[in-house]
Amino acid sequence: MDTFEDIPIGQSPSQRTRGGFDSQTGIYHSLVQLGDGNKIPTKANLDTATFVMSQFPKLDQAVSKVAFIDTATGHQVTYSQLQRSIYSLATGLYHGLGVRKGDVVFVLSPNSILYPTICLAVFLVGGVLTTANPLNTKSEITKQVLDSGAKLAIVAPSEAHKLVSTNVPTLLTYRPENGDELSVQELIDCCEQMELPETRSTQSDIAAILYSSGTTGVSKGVLLTHSNFISCMTLLKWSTYKMSADQDVFLCFLPMFHIYGLAFFTLGLLTFGATTVLMQRYDFKGMLEAIHTHKVNNIPAVPPIILSLVKHNKGGYDLSSLRRVGSGAAPLSKELVDRFRAKFPWVHLRPGYGLTESCGAATLFLTHEEAKAHHAGSGKLLPTFCAKVVDYETGAAMPPYGEGELWLKSPTVMKGYLGNEAATAATIDSDGWLKTGDLCYFDDDGCLYIVDRIKELIKHNGYQVAPAELEAILLGHPQILDAAVIPLEDEEAGEIPMAYVVRAEGSQLSEDQVIQFVASQVAPFKKVKKVSFINIIPKSAAGKILRKDLVAQSKQHVRSKL
């Protein structure tokens, strides 16, 4: 099989710093390589589904090896059953519903044991996948369906009403009671004996259009190719082998429509032959029950869930099987990391970093020792990745500890944004560097530290204040369950930091007490100037704070007082 080869840039590896920094080019290089047995395939006529299924356990193992367990029903799917279902559904999509290569298929469903079958069948038949959050409104759904040009929608029965006005044909994930609509399972059953024509995509073809969360602006359709996914799956399989055992059990409560859930659970873990326990949606008690019941070893999580484990776990569940907790979507504070490790000393906490535009991959800690040695770090560059830290005012490439915007280059980087050449040009430069919009720095060991989103920095009297830093301090207060910091317009200072705080039950914490708590730990220009108490911090499905919602709320509050 053809393989991807790293192309050396600038100095030879022996001339770079121990952290992989090349002083001549300003480029940080990955310190690890995939090795001969794990090269990324570059065979042109290869689609994501074919690649993923080629990594399934061998036939004698696939018959008994469980791929997914549904926590709600206890239903299990083996790898051999999964493979048959994928082929049958792909055949049904082709013969029964007329899906052809390049047709966009819109998927709207909570996590389901059928979700991986649906996604891989769409890839196998040559379709283009686009997924959405079931919590999205009818207008948001309509906008995505029209923007993506979807030809078919596969939807949970409870969400079907949101697509009526689009006039797009729909296939239900399952048939409701007293219903007569066609469902995914029925299509699988009726097409088991049919042949699937050769409709495979090439690696350069678009595999998915995934819409960014829109936490700071208008949501855009990220174009990911089969090559992007295949590269990412190779990296995930390699890193999972490095960190996990063959019999490990993973728990999925993150949404499968999001790049984190899609890349890791729907696709990535299948290349490792792992068993995944699947929750329809996240709830804290359900997560603890699943760990207890199924002896779960691994949880890829997000910071709010890690915070919940630290603050809310009151016991009663056996969590001793837990060995690894990964974290992504937003940076972890040193204080939260320390509290987690103090409470769960036997669990390896391994933060990582990725974004939709890089197919969810970029940095990761491969060992517990590395993670412990770099508090609040987000891991080291994965194989095939290069990075630059670019000063967003001068454009200079920054050495270790110099702050700037993180730029990435890798075969996992997206092709661009759907129908938006201007946004694509602003995000990917002519040399293929992806500008992430994240303020960061690397240390001497090549570990990445995310400071905050550049667009979210608060400009106060000429100083720049990172909301994430203040949020980490606020979360250290014993009476604060959650917090978010936003910029509030100010006539004299330009912007001032304002905190939204969720108090613990029964707490009478006051605005002045919060302000003083932060003021005692930061420079004067970083002080929180205003506090508003709130029941819940709005967050995206990936756990990112929806600051634009809080900014709008603060402006509405100001207007109401005028």
Side-chain angles (χ1 to χ4, degrees):
M1 180 179 286
D2 296 328
T3 57
F4 173 87
E5 299 293 343
D6 289 325
I7 301 174
I9 303 174
Q11 296 172 314
S12 67
S14 61
Q15 293 175 295
R16 298 171 191 157
T17 67
R18 72 170 189 264
F21 179 66
D22 183 329
S23 59
Q24 292 183 4
T25 63
I27 294 173
Y28 294 84
H29 295 263
S30 175
L31 299 172
V32 287
Q33 296 181 347
L34 287 173
D36 293 337
N38 297 289
K39 291 294 187 179
I40 296 172
T42 56
K43 182 180 177 181
N45 296 318
L46 182 64
D47 64 271
T48 304
T50 300
F51 173 75
V52 170
M53 288 191 291
S54 73
Q55 307 298 305
F56 280 11
K58 294 181 179 179
L59 186 60
D60 57 336
Q61 297 174 305
V63 173
S64 58
K65 180 66 173 179
V66 175
F68 294 101
I69 302 172
D70 189 330
T71 56
T73 64
H75 181 59
Q76 298 185 2
V77 175
T78 66
Y79 274 87
S80 61
Q81 290 170 331
L82 178 62
Q83 185 154 356
R84 287 196 301 270
S85 294
I86 293 165
Y87 274 111
S88 296
L89 182 56
T91 303
L93 291 174
Y94 184 89
H95 290 293
L97 297 176
V99 176
R100 297 293 183 266
K101 181 179 176 180
D103 286 349
V104 177
V105 179
F106 177 82
V107 178
L108 181 66
S109 170
N111 287 0
S112 161
I113 207 162
L114 284 171
Y115 212 103
T117 298
I118 293 168
C119 294
L120 286 163
V122 170
F123 290 147
L124 189 62
V125 81
V128 177
L129 180 74
T130 186
T131 59
N133 188 344
L135 296 179
N136 285 359
T137 64
K138 180 180 177 181
S139 61
E140 290 171 324
I141 295 298
T142 300
K143 179 182 177 183
Q144 182 172 334
V145 168
L146 295 177
D147 188 64
S148 65
K151 300 292 181 63
L152 173 71
I154 302 178
V155 300
S158 60
E159 307 300 326
H161 67 280
K162 296 178 181 177
L163 288 113
V164 173
S165 63
T166 66
N167 294 318
V168 173
T170 59
L171 172 67
L172 298 183
T173 53
Y174 65 90
R175 178 184 286 186
E177 291 184 16
N178 303 319
D180 58 1
E181 299 93 339
L182 182 66
S183 71
V184 167
Q185 189 59 57
E186 289 166 318
L187 197 59
I188 290 173
D189 294 339
C190 73
C191 296
E192 283 186 322
Q193 305 303 318
M194 301 177 72
E195 293 291 328
L196 178 65
E198 188 68 31
T199 59
R200 308 293 166 79
S201 301
T202 67
Q203 287 215 48
S204 60
D205 288 329
I206 300 299
I209 306 170
L210 301 184
Y211 284 77
S212 59
S213 59
T215 55
T216 58
V218 178
S219 183
K220 298 182 288 293
V222 175
L223 298 173
L224 295 174
T225 65
H226 287 277
S227 175
N228 293 150
F229 277 111
I230 290 169
S231 299
C232 185
M233 295 311 99
T234 304
L235 293 175
L236 282 172
K237 180 180 180 180
W238 173 84
S239 61
T240 305
Y241 268 123
K242 291 280 187 181
M243 297 187 297
S244 306
D246 290 345
Q247 300 305 313
D248 275 4
V249 177
F250 292 75
L251 178 62
C252 175
F253 44 72
L254 299 179
M256 299 178 103
F257 67 80
H258 185 268
I259 188 62
Y260 199 168
L262 179 63
F264 197 87
F265 292 106
T266 309
L267 305 174
L269 286 181
L270 295 177
T271 66
F272 179 65
T275 296
T276 298
V277 177
L278 187 61
M279 294 173 62
Q280 187 178 74
R281 56 178 58 86
Y282 169 77
D283 74 88
F284 187 65
K285 182 180 178 182
M287 179 189 74
L288 298 180
E289 288 177 346
I291 297 170
H292 174 93
T293 301
H294 298 282
K295 305 304 178 187
V296 170
N297 311 115
N298 294 269
I299 299 178
V302 291
I305 294 170
I306 293 170
L307 179 64
S308 295
L309 281 167
V310 168
K311 289 199 170 189
H312 299 288
N313 180 23
K314 295 181 174 65
Y317 297 96
D318 180 8
L319 305 184
S320 61
S321 64
L322 200 58
R323 288 290 176 266
R324 283 163 292 278
V325 173
S327 179
L332 287 172
S333 69
K334 180 182 182 300
E335 194 269 345
L336 180 56
V337 169
D338 289 341
R339 291 170 65 191
F340 179 89
R341 288 183 174 141
K343 189 167 187 177
F344 303 98
W346 70 92
V347 178
H348 294 179
L349 179 63
R350 294 183 182 169
Y353 170 86
L355 59 162
T356 306
E357 287 85 347
S358 68
C359 209
T363 64
L364 190 66
F365 283 119
L366 293 175
T367 69
H368 180 55
E369 291 70 29
E370 276 189 343
K372 285 188 69 175
H374 299 86
H375 284 289
S378 293
K380 298 182 179 181
L381 291 170
L382 286 166
T384 78
F385 271 88
C386 294
K388 287 199 290 188
V389 178
V390 180
D391 186 292
Y392 46 89
E393 292 182 352
T394 67
M398 305 300 290
Y401 299 102
E403 290 189 359
E405 182 181 14
L406 176 63
W407 289 17
L408 295 171
K409 184 182 284 191
S410 164
T412 71
V413 168
M414 69 169 183
K415 186 173 184 177
Y417 293 114
L418 177 65
N420 197 331
E421 293 183 5
T424 299
T427 305
I428 302 178
D429 75 2
S430 58
D431 292 324
W433 287 100
L434 171 68
K435 305 173 185 178
T436 68
D438 285 315
L439 183 66
C440 76
Y441 65 90
F442 282 89
D443 66 14
D444 283 331
D445 294 323
C447 178
L448 173 69
Y449 294 80
I450 300 295
V451 178
D452 215 327
R453 291 289 294 170
I454 291 174
K455 290 182 179 179
E456 293 176 353
L457 292 175
I458 299 168
K459 311 296 174 61
H460 179 73
N461 281 331
Y463 292 101
Q464 295 184 141
V465 181
E469 179 185 355
L470 299 180
E471 288 158 2
I473 292 171
L474 289 165
L475 291 175
H477 195 291
Q479 295 182 52
I480 295 178
L481 293 181
D482 206 354
V485 175
I486 65 165
L488 188 66
E489 292 182 6
D490 182 80
E491 188 173 341
E492 293 184 2
E495 293 176 340
I496 58 173
M498 174 183 178
Y500 278 91
V501 169
V502 179
R503 287 180 288 205
E505 185 176 353
S507 171
Q508 299 298 314
L509 193 65
S510 69
E511 178 179 24
D512 186 61
Q513 287 174 317
V514 174
I515 290 173
Q516 292 305 316
F517 177 74
V518 176
S520 67
Q521 302 180 65
V522 299
F525 69 89
K526 295 181 181 179
K527 291 180 181 179
V528 168
K529 304 293 185 181
K530 183 174 177 58
V531 177
S532 181
F533 295 101
I534 194 171
N535 292 327
I536 188 169
I537 302 296
K539 293 176 181 176
S540 72
K544 295 180 182 179
I545 296 170
L546 296 174
R547 296 189 204 279
K548 64 177 183 179
D549 292 356
L550 293 174
V551 170
Q553 183 173 323
S554 68
K555 289 180 178 178
Q556 179 63 36
H557 182 70
V558 170
R559 284 195 294 269
S560 67
K561 287 192 169 186
L562 295 178

